[in-house]
Amino acid sequence: MARCLLLLSAIILLSRCATVTAPEGGPKDETPPQLVPEASTPALQTNFVKQRIQLTFDEWVTLEDIFNQVVVSPPLQYRPTITLKGRTVRFDFDSREVLREDATYTINFGEAVKDLTEKNPAENLRFVFATGNMLDSLSVSGTIVDAQTGEPVEKVLFMLYDNLADSVVRTERPFYFAKTNKEGSFRIENVRAGAFKGFALKDVDFNYRYNLANEQIGFPDSLIVVADSTPALAIRLFEEERALRLLDEEASIFGRIRLTFNKIPRNINFSPQDVGQTILYEYDKDTVNVWYDLSSPQAWELYIRQDTILNDTVKIEALAKAEFLQNTKLSQANVRSTPVSVNPDQFISIDFNHPVASFDTSLIRIYEDTLRIPVQAVLEIDSLKPRSVKLRTAWKEGLPYELEALPGAFQDIFGLQSDTIKAVYRAELSKAFGNLDLKIEGFQADTNYVVQLLQGETLVDELEVSGVEAFEKTYKTLRPGDYSVKIIVDLNANGRWDSGNYDLKIQPEVIITKKLETLRANWDVESVISL
């Protein structure tokens, strides 16, 4: 009996020792599965006879989305069978399939084969063979960059089609393809001689077709003729301009309608049904605030048109102004208790929660220094931001200033008046800023340009240039930092960058971006850009 108990204990102990558990901790596996050539069907065969193709890997793998990911060129007439046994992927031709004579075939697996644990896809997995006595050895290469930034774009498909119809990019998978690396470079190997349609696609849904409006694309201006020496391609990737759509409307509060669009609304016109209301429009990126005042409650409609075409109609309910006035007041926005630093060459902005209709300068005072010396100021309502009032005075660097606005100094479009407003400012020293002398040479006098000065992603200045071959402007009291200049070749002279269009064969407008020397405090930078 004791012997049986001892044997049973040993069996239990051994079984515990043999239990396999997932390893804990350690670095994440980011290595893709690697092909084991000696255990796989030999690639680059000539005089290939239809057979099962086996690809064995150095770790356990899984198959995903094989219908969309696995692409064979030239295309097969019948769908092949792709299965997995252990670490081996099996590719079987349909029994009815007849391979073309003297043709080089490439089986692109895309990202169908992934490791079992972390789902890392096998990279550039292709199987190439020829049914004749030689392999096609031509290639097509190039680079793909973002049309707006000029930066290389990774994981973009560049595809070749032997069907030269424009619609092929939406209806068929490619004859050949390759993916860009981190440097935005691609290379398609084993291509036969001939003419092909080229197309670049940032494939969002991984189906090798351009079928989504948010997919980025690019294309050469002409067919690609593949020969012994095919020039490298340079493709700019862009997203086509989408049709303007109203995504959301909010008009539950009297006096304001908030409209949110799917993009910045351009070439848009608002046509209100006239019921005696006054209206102001405030644009903020993809949002438009429509401010209105109406004495008596009445329902009305706002028509939104783009390029004279009616896009949407917004219905505004009859809301009581009296109730609105009882529950709101005109107040200053972004009130700060600490002094606000002021660039001595610029204005300050007094912001409110409602559009300002008027102000009374007799109730507004600016005091200079701790002695509170009254100084003159110039005020104006911002034409682009109706809720802001711009204030200028002869700021003296280093001195403190105090704004005091008595009750009733500002009145909004609803007739509401402001309460007492106080704010403290300090004019910064001019040596805390830098100056930039910018010169751009090489413009074409018959071409329009848009020149933008940016600090990081912030737009500092924008202007349109035309009819000149050189341009120069001096910027005073810029804040220290890294600046860049963006030059848009504005071919249609509409004052902005325009994307491309595949069906119309329009390339995106060219953008040239130049980084400037870092601007330091109390420093002058001279920058000359040659185009």
Side-chain angles (χ1 to χ4, degrees):
M1 182 69 178
R3 246 188 209 176
C4 291
L5 289 173
L6 185 60
L7 181 61
L8 181 60
S9 299
I11 292 171
I12 294 173
L13 180 62
L14 287 171
S15 66
R16 285 179 179 173
C17 292
T19 301
V20 179
T21 58
E24 297 180 2
K28 181 180 178 180
D29 177 21
E30 296 182 354
T31 304
Q34 303 295 315
L35 191 68
V36 182
E38 58 271 19
S40 305
T41 303
L44 303 178
Q45 293 185 43
T46 56
N47 299 310
F48 181 87
V49 178
K50 192 171 70 172
Q51 60 186 274
R52 167 178 285 176
I53 297 171
Q54 298 193 130
L55 303 177
T56 301
F57 296 87
D58 62 351
E59 59 180 310
W60 296 100
V61 295
T62 185
L63 289 172
E64 293 186 3
D65 194 24
I66 56 176
F67 175 70
N68 285 318
Q69 289 297 314
V70 181
V71 178
V72 182
S73 61
L76 300 175
Q77 185 175 359
Y78 302 99
R79 187 180 300 177
T81 301
I82 304 171
T83 56
L84 180 64
K85 184 176 182 181
R87 300 182 180 185
T88 300
V89 174
R90 293 175 170 179
F91 183 101
D92 290 295
F93 295 94
D94 187 280
S95 59
R96 297 165 292 175
E97 192 71 55
V98 177
L99 299 179
R100 303 185 192 187
E101 294 182 2
D102 297 322
T104 298
Y105 280 81
T106 301
I107 305 173
N108 283 284
F109 285 85
E111 296 187 356
V113 180
K114 299 181 179 182
D115 65 37
L116 195 57
T117 53
E118 299 294 342
K119 305 298 184 183
N120 297 307
E123 294 181 345
N124 300 317
L125 184 58
R126 302 161 64 242
F127 186 87
V128 181
F129 65 86
T131 56
N133 56 14
M134 61 180 296
L135 292 162
D136 289 331
S137 58
L138 300 179
S139 63
V140 175
S141 62
T143 55
I144 298 177
V145 300
D146 186 281
Q148 295 193 66
T149 66
E151 296 296 320
V153 189
E154 186 184 6
K155 296 183 179 178
V156 177
L157 291 171
F158 188 78
M159 304 180 287
L160 296 177
Y161 302 84
D162 64 344
N163 181 345
L164 305 182
D166 288 343
S167 61
V168 68
V169 301
R170 295 184 173 96
T171 59
E172 296 181 17
R173 291 190 290 176
F175 198 90
Y176 300 106
F177 77 92
K179 253 181 193 175
T180 57
N181 58 19
K182 292 181 179 179
E183 289 72 41
S185 299
F186 67 87
R187 186 177 183 85
I188 305 176
E189 304 277 5
N190 304 109
V191 181
R192 64 171 171 80
F196 295 90
K197 176 178 287 294
F199 190 76
L201 175 66
K202 188 74 171 176
D203 195 12
V204 174
D205 55 356
F206 308 108
N207 68 352
Y208 295 83
R209 294 177 180 87
Y210 178 37
N211 62 317
L212 298 177
N214 63 336
E215 288 180 319
Q216 292 179 292
I217 63 170
F219 55 91
D221 289 318
S222 59
L223 296 177
I224 300 169
V225 179
V226 180
D228 289 339
S229 57
T230 304
L233 301 169
I235 304 296
R236 291 184 297 138
L237 200 69
F238 64 92
E239 184 178 316
E240 287 189 319
E241 189 82 9
R242 282 180 271 177
L244 183 69
R245 289 189 297 109
L246 179 62
L247 298 180
D248 187 42
E249 56 186 78
E250 196 274 308
S252 59
I253 301 174
F254 176 88
R256 189 190 71 180
I257 309 158
R258 183 184 294 274
L259 305 174
T260 304
F261 297 87
N262 65 325
K263 62 177 183 177
I264 296 175
R266 295 189 176 98
N267 303 325
I268 193 170
N269 292 303
F270 295 101
S271 302
Q273 178 187 358
D274 188 1
V275 291
Q277 74 276 57
T278 57
I279 290 185
L280 285 173
Y281 301 98
E282 180 186 20
Y283 294 81
D284 183 16
K285 296 180 181 178
D286 61 356
T287 301
V288 179
N289 287 316
V290 182
W291 298 93
Y292 69 92
D293 185 30
L294 186 60
S295 299
S296 58
Q298 190 170 349
W300 54 285
E301 294 182 341
L302 178 66
Y303 309 109
I304 304 174
R305 289 181 170 86
Q306 186 181 35
D307 298 328
T308 71
I309 300 174
L310 182 63
N311 279 35
D312 285 284
T313 300
V314 179
K315 297 183 178 181
I316 295 91
E317 297 178 4
L319 301 173
K321 179 179 179 179
E323 183 181 346
F324 166 75
L325 295 178
Q326 288 177 354
N327 295 304
T328 189
K329 63 180 181 178
L330 176 62
S331 59
Q332 186 184 6
N334 303 321
V335 178
R336 292 175 59 176
S337 57
T338 57
V340 178
S341 297
V342 177
N343 185 326
D345 280 349
Q346 295 182 359
F347 60 83
I348 60 172
S349 181
I350 310 169
D351 303 321
F352 295 90
N353 61 331
H354 300 154
V356 178
S358 62
F359 52 82
D360 185 347
T361 54
S362 67
L363 301 176
I364 302 170
R365 298 179 176 88
I366 295 286
Y367 298 106
E368 181 183 275
D369 207 348
T370 54
L371 300 177
R372 290 173 58 85
I373 302 171
V375 294
Q376 294 294 319
V378 177
L379 290 88
E380 62 176 317
I381 299 172
D382 194 324
S383 60
L384 299 178
K385 300 177 181 179
R387 286 188 284 171
S388 298
V389 175
K390 296 191 292 187
L391 183 152
R392 291 182 182 272
T393 191
W395 308 102
K396 294 180 182 178
E397 58 180 274
L399 291 184
Y401 290 81
E402 182 181 347
L403 164 70
E404 182 181 66
L406 301 178
F410 299 94
Q411 181 170 297
D412 68 15
I413 62 172
F414 309 114
L416 295 170
Q417 295 184 339
S418 60
D419 291 331
T420 300
I421 294 175
K422 289 189 177 182
V424 181
Y425 306 93
R426 179 172 291 275
E428 295 188 63
L429 300 175
S430 59
K431 67 180 182 180
F433 299 89
N435 302 317
L436 170 65
D437 184 27
L438 176 65
K439 186 174 183 180
I440 305 174
E441 301 173 336
F443 286 125
Q444 300 292 324
D446 59 351
T447 304
N448 293 75
Y449 301 86
V450 177
V451 178
Q452 297 177 339
L453 178 67
L454 300 105
Q455 184 179 27
E457 298 296 323
T458 303
L459 180 65
V460 178
D461 188 33
E462 180 179 78
L463 60 154
E464 297 181 39
V465 178
S466 62
V468 297
E469 295 182 356
F471 159 82
E472 188 170 5
K473 184 173 182 179
T474 298
Y475 295 91
K476 297 288 188 181
T477 59
L478 290 177
R479 295 199 176 275
D482 293 320
Y483 288 82
S484 62
V485 172
K486 181 183 289 186
I487 303 163
I488 301 170
V489 183
D490 186 18
L491 295 177
N492 59 2
N494 65 352
R496 62 182 177 88
W497 179 80
D498 287 288
S499 188
N501 185 284
Y502 172 70
D503 292 324
L504 299 178
K505 295 297 177 284
I506 297 174
Q507 294 286 356
E509 290 180 331
V510 172
I511 296 178
I512 303 163
T513 302
K514 300 287 186 181
K515 291 184 179 180
L516 306 181
E517 177 187 341
T518 299
L519 184 65
R520 296 175 174 83
N522 200 27
W523 198 263
D524 292 340
V525 169
E526 293 184 4
S527 184
V528 179
I529 297 174
S530 176
L531 301 183

